[in-house]
Structures are given as C-alpha cells and as structure tokens.
Amino acid sequence: MDDQRKYKNVISDIPKTAVDIYRMLPEGTRCEVIFNELVFQGNMNDQHKYKNVISEIPSTAVEVYRMLPEGTRCEVIFNELIMSPSPSRKHQLLLIKLSSLLYQFLEARQTGTLLSAPFDVYFDPEQSVVQPDLFVVLNEDDQIMQENGVYGVPAIVIEIISTNRSYDTKRKRALYEKVGVKEYFMIDPNNNKTTLLTLTEAGVYDQTYEETGLLKSGILNCNISF
C-alpha cells in the first residue's frame, strides 16, 4: 500500500517535466529541480537509483518504470504504470510448489528455462513491462533472455490470480494475447482451478480447458498435478 500511496494506483498521465517526476518520488528523497533537471543530493543510494542528474524527461510509462526504486511492485500495460499489492500467503505457497514441479520437469527434459517474478519481461512494441508469476522461455527463443530481463515473448506464462481478478483475467489476458503468448495459464490460489488459454492461428485466445489442480501444456507435452 505504501507504493500505491507514493505513486498512485494507476499512473496514466506521463510526466512531461522534471517537476512532474519530482512529485512522484518517494517522500524524503533528497533532490531539487533546477532548469528542468532533477538533481540528487547527499544520499549515494538515491544517486545510484536515479542517477545524479536526469536531464532527459521520460516520454513513456516504461521510461518512468525504469526510474522507480528497485523492488517497487508495479508493471506497465499499454503505457500505463500500474501498482500491485503484495501477494497473499496462498499465492506464494502455490508459486513455490509450481516452481518446484516445473523446474524439475524442465531440468529433466532440457526444453526450456523457467523464470519467475520479480523478473522483467519487456514487450516494447506495446509499451509494456510485466513480471509474470512464472513463465517459460523455450530453448529456441533463448536469445530473448538477458541479464536484466526478457526482451520478447515467452511461449508460456502462468499467473496466479491476485485479489484484483480482472487484472489477470482481462488486462493481462489482453496484453498476452496481443503480443502472442502461446499458452496463458490462470490459476486460482483458493481452489487451484486452472484455466488454459491457447493462442489460435487467428491470433486470439481460445479456452482449451479448465480443471482443478492440473497443469496441462501442449507445448511442453506435460500433465503436472499439484
């Protein structure tokens, strides 16, 4: 909630001046604005986070995202900066379980790499940056992986549904469909109900199945019970 108070729940108005950015920074950050330049003072950590002088004003939400303090829970979807609440206990327990099962499966078959939040996935054409709960980059796509994030489209994305259900079931669905994620799994942590959306040749999602406690991927050729 602190991040939501600092930056507001959804920032759709992109800052146009250094003063606009100044108003978005965490309370207590030692900085001033001189001739439209944001100048940080004293605290070396602040200087490291934001650079000593920011003279180029961001023009997109992705650029603003890159300026925020490390660890800030937020994503960018279609050029909107959206703050995220901390995950629930059930969410995290399920995430750990699925991570272990999928990691073991992929290690045995060596078909792809499993990554998890918080790790950035950049969809530059759509001006979006997200941190999926879990996602798989296939070996043939490993060139999209870099040290600081993935720059391209993972074949498989798994989201454990948050308290804001429409965020995962509508907004993220729309994004993943548009960029071409082939398999999008949505899992309810309250009952383990799993819904798989598969991208058709027409580039739209079709619901393949909905079952409880089963991760069934055509791409990976797996049936994992959890």
Side-chain angles (χ1 to χ4, degrees):
M1 291 302 295
D2 288 341
D3 285 338
Q4 291 182 9
R5 282 195 295 268
K6 287 174 185 174
Y7 307 105
K8 300 181 181 180
N9 190 42
V10 178
I11 301 175
S12 56
D13 293 329
I14 306 304
K16 299 298 189 297
T17 68
V19 174
D20 292 337
I21 299 170
Y22 174 86
R23 292 184 174 126
M24 295 170 57
L25 295 177
E27 184 177 352
T29 301
R30 291 182 53 80
C31 69
E32 296 176 314
V33 179
I34 299 178
F35 296 129
N36 205 34
E37 288 191 356
L38 200 61
V39 182
F40 288 87
Q41 305 168 343
N43 191 325
M44 290 302 295
N45 288 332
D46 284 340
Q47 292 183 15
H48 175 72
K49 288 176 186 173
Y50 307 102
K51 301 180 181 179
N52 191 40
V53 177
I54 301 176
S55 56
E56 295 184 5
I57 306 305
S59 58
T60 69
V62 174
E63 292 175 3
V64 176
Y65 174 87
R66 290 190 171 117
M67 294 172 57
L68 296 177
E70 185 176 351
T72 301
R73 291 190 54 82
C74 69
E75 295 176 306
V76 180
I77 295 182
F78 299 129
N79 204 32
E80 286 193 357
L81 193 64
I82 301 168
M83 311 309 298
S84 306
S86 296
S88 67
R89 178 180 61 86
K90 287 182 178 179
H91 180 287
Q92 292 303 92
L93 290 174
L94 181 55
L95 179 61
I96 292 169
K97 188 174 185 178
L98 289 172
S99 297
S100 176
L101 293 170
L102 273 170
Y103 179 80
Q104 291 177 45
F105 178 88
L106 289 169
E107 275 291 292
R109 287 158 181 80
Q110 294 293 306
T111 53
T113 301
L114 177 68
L115 294 164
S116 65
F119 196 66
D120 292 334
V121 178
Y122 288 85
F123 302 126
D124 288 338
E126 305 307 325
Q127 298 187 61
S128 300
V129 189
V130 292
Q131 295 181 350
D133 289 320
L134 292 167
F135 59 98
V136 176
V137 177
L138 299 177
N139 290 343
E140 56 262 36
D141 299 324
D142 63 359
Q143 73 280 357
I144 69 175
M145 291 188 294
Q146 299 183 22
E147 280 301 307
N148 65 338
V150 167
Y151 293 80
V153 184
I156 301 168
V157 167
I158 302 169
E159 295 284 8
I160 299 171
I161 296 174
S162 64
T163 52
N164 183 3
R165 295 183 66 88
S166 65
Y167 183 59
D168 294 308
T169 61
K170 294 181 180 179
R171 298 195 75 170
K172 279 196 165 181
R173 170 181 172 151
L175 174 63
Y176 294 149
E177 183 178 64
K178 187 162 188 180
V179 299
V181 173
K182 293 177 182 176
E183 289 185 346
Y184 176 33
F185 291 88
M186 297 178 291
I187 304 177
D188 189 330
N190 295 311
N191 54 22
N192 289 354
K193 183 179 287 185
T194 304
T195 303
L196 170 61
L197 302 176
T198 304
L199 199 70
T200 67
E201 292 184 0
V204 297
Y205 275 142
D206 180 53
Q207 182 172 315
T208 304
Y209 79 92
E210 185 174 82
E211 297 187 33
T212 299
L214 180 64
L215 194 71
K216 185 164 56 177
S217 169
I219 293 175
L220 297 179
N221 191 25
C222 71
N223 289 271
I224 299 175
S225 298
F226 60 93

